[in-house]
């Protein structure tokens, strides 16, 4: 047995909110064999198994009566290379941003807009991570997951993952699929996605007219560092609510009342509203109750000033959800996974 299972481990260092709950049992998987051992251990002890990566999309509201398995598998490889297009595979436990940097250093374009997102490669497909106009579905070439029900490995294609805005099949079939490795279709040719004004402005401000993927990555890193609190300094899980999709009719009603409403038309006729705008408009930005609060610059980011519990954060979230529903008739859905 190579897997080390520890009892009563504080999860404070393993979640970006910095919430201090305990795992009844805790282990780190460094290989597929470790993963299988953890599954066998949990089954033998009749324990639930909770798989985590970097803990940057978790809201922990109680001690976890389970075996918590942190994915720490490592490895990145080029599977296919025709001189222009490449398929790169990374193990689930690889940290996301260093992996993005690795692809850029090898001259592979595609992941630059997703720079500096915290977390691991294995969790990235869970909510189809996205930023600055790109989601992983746009560069996704497949993944291998372990079916926890049968113990069999299964390869998933793009279509099979049902990716949508902050959503995938894996979010719905929770507890079934343990993602072991993910593949990305990248390219040496430049196909930069520069639709976002702030990215264009940052590049222009630096006098860059012919941006490289690394220039875009650096610009996005600097914008993100200015905009978002660093979880190492102030506990948070990034955007706490998804941007809500509403009917065209409701969006038009709101626009009539609030001319500065931020709304984006969607292909299916719905409108996507900026959740941060709604929360800001309702006056929550900078609100603090004990150690739970709404970030003073980013209304979409709930923060832990130190000793907030998961319940404190969840209660604050509920107050915001109720207020937004009352004021705007819009339901806000939480983004982090609550346990
Ligand atoms: C400051 C900050 C900024 C952020 N910015 C963005 C952003 O721009 N865009 C965005 O999309 N997200 C963003 N996030 C959210 C978060 O970084 C992503 O969702 C990230 O992919 C979570 O990865 P993780 O490894 O930390 O997952 P965890 O938080 O550890 O886990 C998340 C979920 O995935 C499950 N899981 C984890 N690994 C596996 C696996 N190998 N197999 C099966 N299930 C697994 C867990 O059980 C849990 O349900 C941000 C978070 C922070 C703190």
């Amino acid at each position: 047995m190579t897997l080390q299972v520890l009892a009563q481990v504080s999860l404070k260092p393993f979640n970006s909110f910095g919430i201090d709950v305990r795992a009844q049992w805790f282990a780190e998987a460094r290989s597929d064999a470790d993963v299988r051992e953890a599954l066998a251990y949990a089954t033998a002890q009749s324990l639930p198994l909770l798989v985590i990566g970097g803990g940057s999309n978790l809201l922990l509201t109680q001690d976890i009566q389970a075996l918590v398995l942190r994915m720490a598998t490592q490895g990145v490889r080029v599977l296919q290379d025709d001189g222009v297009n490449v398929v790169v595979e990374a193990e689930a436990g690889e940290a996301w941003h260093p992996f993005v940097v690795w692809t850029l250093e090898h001259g592979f374009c595609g992941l630059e807009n997703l720079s500096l997102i915290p977390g691991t490669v294995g969790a990235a497909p869970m909510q189809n991570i996205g930023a600055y106009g790109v989601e992983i579905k746009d560069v996704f070439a497949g993944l291998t997951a372990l079916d926890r029900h049968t113990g069999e490995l299964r390869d998933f294609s793009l279509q099979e993952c049902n990716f949508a805005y902050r959503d995938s099949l894996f979010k719905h079939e929770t507890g079934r699929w343990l993602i072991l490795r993910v593949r990305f279709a990248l390219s040496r040719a430049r196909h930069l996605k520069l639709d976002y004004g702030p990215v264009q402005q940052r590049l222009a401000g630096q006098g860059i007219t012919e941006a490289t993927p690394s220039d875009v990555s650096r610009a996005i890193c600097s914008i993100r560092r200015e905009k978002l609190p660093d979880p190492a300094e102030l506990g948070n899980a990034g955007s706490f609510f998804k941007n809500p999709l509403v009917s065209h009719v409701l969006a038009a009603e709101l626009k009539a009342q609030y001319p500065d409403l931020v709304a984006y038309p969607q292909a299916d006729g719905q409108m996507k509203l900026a959740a941060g705008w709604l929360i800001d408009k309702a006056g929550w930005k900078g609100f603090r109750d004990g150690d739970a609060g709404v970030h003073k610059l980013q209304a979409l980011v709930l923060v832990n000033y130190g000793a907030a519990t998961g319940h404190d954060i969840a209660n604050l979230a509920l107050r915001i959800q109720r207020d937004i529903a009352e004021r705007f008739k819009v339901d806000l859905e939480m983004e982090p996974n609550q346990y």
Side-chain angles (χ1 to χ4, degrees), residues 145-273:
L146 180 70
D147 184 344
R148 288 169 53 180
H149 295 172
T150 64
E152 282 168 13
L153 293 184
R154 171 154 164 208
D155 285 343
F156 283 85
S157 67
L158 175 64
Q159 288 71 25
E160 288 168 327
C161 294
N162 293 347
F163 287 128
Y165 166 63
R166 299 292 188 273
D167 202 13
S168 73
L169 165 103
F170 310 104
K171 255 200 124 157
H172 294 276
E173 297 191 359
T174 21
R176 175 159 187 199
W177 302 106
L178 199 161
I179 298 169
L180 293 174
R181 50 196 72 91
V182 188
R183 293 173 283 284
F184 301 90
L186 307 175
S187 173
R188 287 194 177 82
R190 275 186 217 172
H191 304 288
L192 298 177
K193 193 120 201 263
L194 294 172
D195 314 345
Y196 271 66
V199 180
Q200 290 172 4
Q201 287 152 18
R202 185 64 50 114
L203 290 167
Q206 291 169 345
I208 297 170
T209 45
E210 289 265 324
T212 65
S214 292
D215 291 332
V216 174
S217 171
R218 277 190 291 271
I220 286 174
C221 287
S222 71
I223 294 170
R224 290 182 67 103
R225 284 195 185 100
E226 282 167 20
K227 268 181 50 180
L228 289 168
D230 178 353
E233 287 158 20
L234 186 61
N236 75 90
S239 303
F240 195 88
F241 299 104
K242 293 185 187 180
N243 288 323
L245 292 167
V246 301
S247 71
H248 213 274
V249 177
L250 177 58
E253 265 174 41
L254 290 171
K255 189 88 186 165
Q257 212 178 335
Y258 306 99
D260 55 337
L261 178 83
V262 181
Y264 307 96
Q266 302 298 293
D268 62 2
Q270 295 194 96
M271 297 290 276
K272 191 191 271 182
L273 304 185

Side-chain angles (χ1 to χ4, degrees), residues 16 50-58 71 92 117-120 122-124 126-127 129-131 166 177-179 224 228-229 231 236-238 335 337 339:
S16 63
L50 173 61
V51 181
I52 63 168
S56 62
N57 210 14
L58 300 180
M71 293 301 289
I117 296 180
T120 54
M126 289 296 295
Q127 69 158 11
I129 58 167
R166 299 292 188 273
W177 302 106
L178 199 161
I179 298 169
R224 290 182 67 103
L228 289 168
N236 75 90
E335 192 183 297
N337 303 272
Y339 296 100

Side-chain angles (χ1 to χ4, degrees), residues 7-37:
Q8 296 300 331
V9 171
S10 167
L11 293 177
K12 192 170 176 176
F14 301 112
N15 74 99
S16 63
F17 258 124
I19 287 167
D20 196 6
V21 297
R22 288 186 169 268
Q24 187 185 4
W25 302 101
F26 179 86
E28 290 188 331
R30 298 185 189 284
S31 64
D32 286 9
D34 283 352
V35 169
R36 287 189 182 277
E37 227 177 276

